[in-house]
Amino acid sequence: MNTFISKTENIKSLYQDEIVNSLKRIKEPDYRANQLINWIYKNYANSWDEMTNLPIALRKKLSEMFILYSSKLVKVQCSDDLTRKFLWQLEDGEFVENVLIPANPALYGEPDDRMTLCVSTQVGCAYKCKFCASGLLGFKRNLNAGEIVEQILAVERWAINEKLPELENKKRLINNIVFMGMGEPLANYENLIRAIKIINAQWGCNIGARKITISTCGLVPEIRQLATEKLQLRLAISLHAATNDVRSKLMPINKKYPLENLMEALRFYRMNKSGMITFEYILIEGVNDSSEQAAKLAKLAKPLRTKVNLIPCNKVEGLDFHSPSETVQKQFLNVLKRNGVTATLRKEKGANIDAACGQLRLKTESEIKHNTIKT
Ligand code: SAH
């Protein structure tokens, strides 16, 4: 493993007042901080030399103090449904992924101009959910706040350079964020919250808190902590089973925080927050797709007024899980609906580009190992 750690800080890890203070320390007036912030967040500058209204000496100083961009684009894959998947290489050689997902009425229940970016919070993942590609290579490290924020800016910059048609009549490309990329967001709590505050800030990416979803495998103490934050975020729980025996087989975290504890934490969250809670439920043939599981899932969802997102399992190389037939998927959905639960069956998006969490990195790491990388 490459252990290189940068001594300089990614400037996108800093709040506005911290940027102002950093510039004060080198005797620069406040308006310079605003110019700098505009270059980063409004003009997507990826070199200090682009910042032409800053004096050359200041640009040089900034380049010694901060990293502007720490990732390089390795790969973009575009699927037939215009879902795009990005693979970035970080300074220390590690990889992170993003998926850019155009509005999908089937996913959200209403037609709109939503453009969602699926954002990663860690390199790899420590939680080893059995159906997920991210855990297969183990956990490498947390992303810092700047590396999290940068994913949004880098994709938007890419879209501008590509003159993406979806940009038409829009100030910014991305208006919805889901932390469903690689890693467990709540295991990188401080960096996640810092990044979200920057993503949410008007001076930053200016994306409303209600348009930001944190997805978690169910870290109970952090869910409780999140309930006390000022932000009104959306919370998605990767549930994937409605009984402890099935869930523990799929998700080792369930042994530490079984369903009773998780539901109690969600009741606490509900009492403190008005934001929506969703249950994510990957349908896996012969594992969690029975009508009995569906009925039990309804019992968990109803008292919490939780919406259920059913997701047909994506194929992951090396994993022997399959999606059930459409008939079984619809049966499962109908049991939920009959029990009064709001539920949607997500159409598989980006299937032909390995869009399931962690898949592109998995493939690339193996290509590097076997020296067959194609970019
Ligand atoms: N650790 C967090 C976020 C990353 S995974 C969490 O567990 O929620 C987020 C989502 O990735 C899962 O809920 C699931 O929707 C999706 N996912 C992972 N593996 C998948 C697979 N094989 N098929 C379909 N979706 C998958």
Side-chain angles (χ1 to χ4, degrees), residues 118-119 121-122 125 127 129-134 179-186 214-218 236-240 251 280-284 309 311-316 319 321 346 348 355-359:
C118 181
V119 174
T121 51
Q122 299 182 312
C125 186
Y127 290 89
C129 297
K130 294 287 189 291
F131 45 81
C132 178
S134 289
F179 285 101
M180 293 185 183
M182 221 195 303
E184 168 50 47
L186 293 186
I214 297 178
S215 181
T216 176
C217 61
I237 304 296
S238 289
L239 203 65
H240 309 318
M251 305 174 72
E280 305 287 307
Y281 196 103
I282 301 176
L283 286 168
I284 309 171
N309 255 338
I311 311 150
C313 180
N314 266 336
K315 270 209 190 76
V316 176
L319 296 182
F321 286 126
R346 196 188 284 179
E348 203 176 1
C357 183
Q359 282 186 31

Side-chain angles (χ1 to χ4, degrees), residues 167-185:
L167 265 173
E168 214 173 291
N169 306 323
K170 269 195 193 160
K171 272 205 189 129
R172 306 188 77 105
L173 178 74
I174 295 161
N175 52 20
N176 201 45
I177 299 292
V178 292
F179 285 101
M180 293 185 183
M182 221 195 303
E184 168 50 47

Side-chain angles (χ1 to χ4, degrees), residues 229-249:
E229 298 283 348
K230 280 206 186 100
L231 298 152
Q232 284 294 350
L233 305 162
R234 289 174 178 233
L235 183 62
I237 304 296
S238 289
L239 203 65
H240 309 318
T243 55
N244 280 325
D245 57 334
V246 178
R247 193 164 194 264
S248 293
K249 275 184 208 141

